[in-house]
Amino acid sequence: MSRLSTIGAKLYRGEIGYDFVAKRKFWYAVSILITIAAIAGLAIRGLNMGIEFKGGAVFTTPKTSVSVTHAKEYAEEASGHDAIVQKLGNGTMRIQVSGLDTAQATKIQNQLAQDMKIPADKIDAELVGPSWGKQIANKAWTGLAIFMVLVVIYLAIAFEWRMALAALIALIHDLTITVGVYALVGFEVTPGTVIGLLTILGYSLYDTVVVFDGLKEGAVGITKQTQSTYSEVANRSLNATLVRSINTTVVALLPVAGLLFIGGGFLGAGMLNDISLSLFVGLAAGAYSSIFIATPLVADFKERDPQMKALKKRVLAKRAAAEARGESPDDTDGSEGSEGDALPGDTAAAGAAGAVVGPRGRGRGRSSDRRR
């Protein structure tokens, strides 16, 4: 068995683990700083909206020896607007200029033909109106709103409203960071970007729902025992799926990274950047939020419940009593009057908040057949 598989098995059994929930304030602070940076970038620099949203013209030239730099200079001199020039794989060029009408597009087409020494009829000109981009944007916002509502309803029914609220906050967190990165990097926002943003929502929810499902199962009968608090159960559920979450994210990020860094960077296929950047940032942010945001938020919300507050008091009081007697908390059987059963599958040591869970040992003077 590989080292990673061994670690994953120990995490699943609760023999080792990292206390994400106890250190949640630190990760909340990190997320707040990242979100503030994203919002600041969006407010200061704004989004570089593509021609599909602003309107303009796209000129496609035949195969030419003119460099991208010179073609960009020619287009900007002829139009008076910023131009985006991309060298396509077959040697042709795609020249994009925003804010043009039909008459201006014809004039620029002729000027480009003269500067680049290409017949004007060999340059294809396509005029894009801003109304089409507005329709796409409106439909995207509508789809996003419907998706959010359906997700909240589903999670509230399948799990509970606290989990639905935590998942919604994590989704907003992921979208904000992704959009902010676009503003800071300056990549063009196109319909491909919108598709990428909508796609990452599903990935972001996947790991979150997996952890929530394990948490729901692990919390059955939680108030009938005094061995673990809700936060500790939530942390064990998170650690049990940690390796799976990492593996899923890495496998999903590898092909996207290929599109972004190799296709868009080295090969110069700039059209891949719009969708690959949103997928790359969104997948990474989604994995981060499912581990460090969603589950700790659920624990925060649940710990405010009167039943969970009472449970936490009982657990801490029992541990304090055990320590006063010089016993380890694991030496107790988890009973309290008639409420004596430990949680199903509860094999992790219930340490103090903020501790890293270590290997479980046998208590002093404890017979091997005594029930925990």
Side-chain angles (χ1 to χ4, degrees):
M1 183 180 291
S2 68
R3 180 176 177 83
L4 185 60
S5 299
T6 302
I7 293 174
K10 290 182 177 180
L11 284 168
Y12 183 80
R13 293 193 298 267
E15 296 174 4
I16 60 173
Y18 178 82
D19 205 338
F20 297 98
V21 176
K23 296 176 174 61
R24 58 189 178 274
K25 291 183 179 180
F26 170 78
W27 298 112
Y28 289 168
V30 171
S31 294
I32 290 172
L33 289 176
I34 296 175
T35 303
I36 290 175
I39 294 174
L42 187 61
I44 296 172
R45 298 196 57 178
L47 291 174
N48 179 22
M49 304 304 292
I51 191 173
E52 294 86 356
F53 298 100
K54 294 187 297 185
V58 179
F59 304 96
T60 305
T61 71
K63 186 175 182 179
T64 177
S65 60
V66 177
S67 67
V68 171
T69 302
H70 287 152
K72 180 178 174 65
E73 292 176 356
Y74 296 151
E76 291 180 347
E77 288 176 2
S79 64
H81 296 276
D82 291 336
I84 298 175
V85 180
Q86 296 171 341
K87 191 87 170 181
L88 304 181
N90 55 2
T92 62
M93 281 189 180
R94 183 177 185 266
I95 304 172
Q96 179 178 304
V97 183
S98 60
L100 302 179
D101 55 26
T102 304
Q104 291 173 317
T106 303
K107 179 182 177 181
I108 294 169
Q109 180 182 5
N110 294 329
Q111 186 63 46
L112 284 173
Q114 181 180 342
D115 293 336
M116 300 176 70
K117 296 179 174 55
I118 300 172
D121 58 354
K122 296 295 184 180
I123 299 178
D124 293 330
E126 180 183 356
L127 196 65
V128 179
S131 60
W132 184 81
K134 290 180 180 178
Q135 291 177 2
I136 294 294
N138 290 335
K139 289 180 180 179
W141 282 114
T142 302
L144 178 61
I146 294 174
F147 176 83
M148 292 288 195
V149 171
L150 292 178
V151 164
V152 170
I153 293 174
Y154 168 76
L155 292 178
I157 295 174
F159 300 101
E160 61 170 299
W161 69 267
R162 295 176 183 86
M163 292 183 176
L165 180 58
L168 180 62
I169 293 173
L171 284 177
I172 295 173
H173 166 273
D174 299 340
L175 287 174
T176 303
I177 291 177
T178 305
V179 174
V181 168
Y182 260 87
L184 293 171
V185 174
F187 276 17
E188 188 179 30
V189 177
T190 68
T193 306
V194 177
I195 293 171
L197 288 174
L198 295 176
T199 302
I200 64 174
L201 298 178
Y203 282 101
S204 178
L205 277 173
Y206 174 76
D207 285 337
T208 303
V209 171
V210 169
V211 177
F212 284 179
D213 187 61
L215 177 54
K216 179 183 178 182
E217 181 179 353
V220 173
I222 187 172
T223 57
K224 298 181 180 179
Q225 53 82 51
T226 54
Q227 189 173 0
S228 303
T229 65
Y230 188 91
S231 292
E232 291 166 349
V233 174
N235 193 68
R236 285 198 292 274
S237 299
L238 184 54
N239 276 279
T241 59
L242 183 61
V243 172
R244 176 180 178 178
S245 298
I246 293 174
N247 288 338
T248 302
T249 302
V250 170
V251 169
L253 281 176
L254 286 176
V256 177
L259 285 175
L260 179 61
F261 299 110
I262 298 177
F266 294 109
L267 301 181
M271 288 182 292
L272 296 176
N273 288 338
D274 51 5
I275 187 170
S276 58
L277 180 63
S278 62
L279 288 175
F280 186 84
V281 176
L283 287 173
Y288 170 85
S289 66
S290 66
I291 296 172
F292 297 103
I293 304 297
T295 305
L297 275 176
V298 172
D300 264 338
F301 296 154
K302 287 290 289 186
E303 291 287 4
R304 290 179 171 84
D305 184 88
Q307 285 187 323
M308 297 306 154
K309 286 182 178 180
L311 171 64
K312 185 175 183 179
K313 288 181 179 180
R314 295 199 304 270
V315 171
L316 295 180
K318 186 169 185 178
R319 290 176 184 173
E323 290 177 3
R325 295 192 300 268
E327 299 175 355
S328 169
D330 287 339
D331 290 339
T332 62
D333 62 2
S335 61
E336 183 182 56
S338 61
E339 301 176 342
D341 295 331
L343 288 174
D346 185 11
T347 59
V356 176
V357 180
R360 185 177 187 129
R362 187 177 302 280
R364 296 193 304 264
R366 181 190 180 107
S367 61
S368 60
D369 59 343
R370 182 178 178 182
R371 182 172 63 87
R372 293 183 183 273

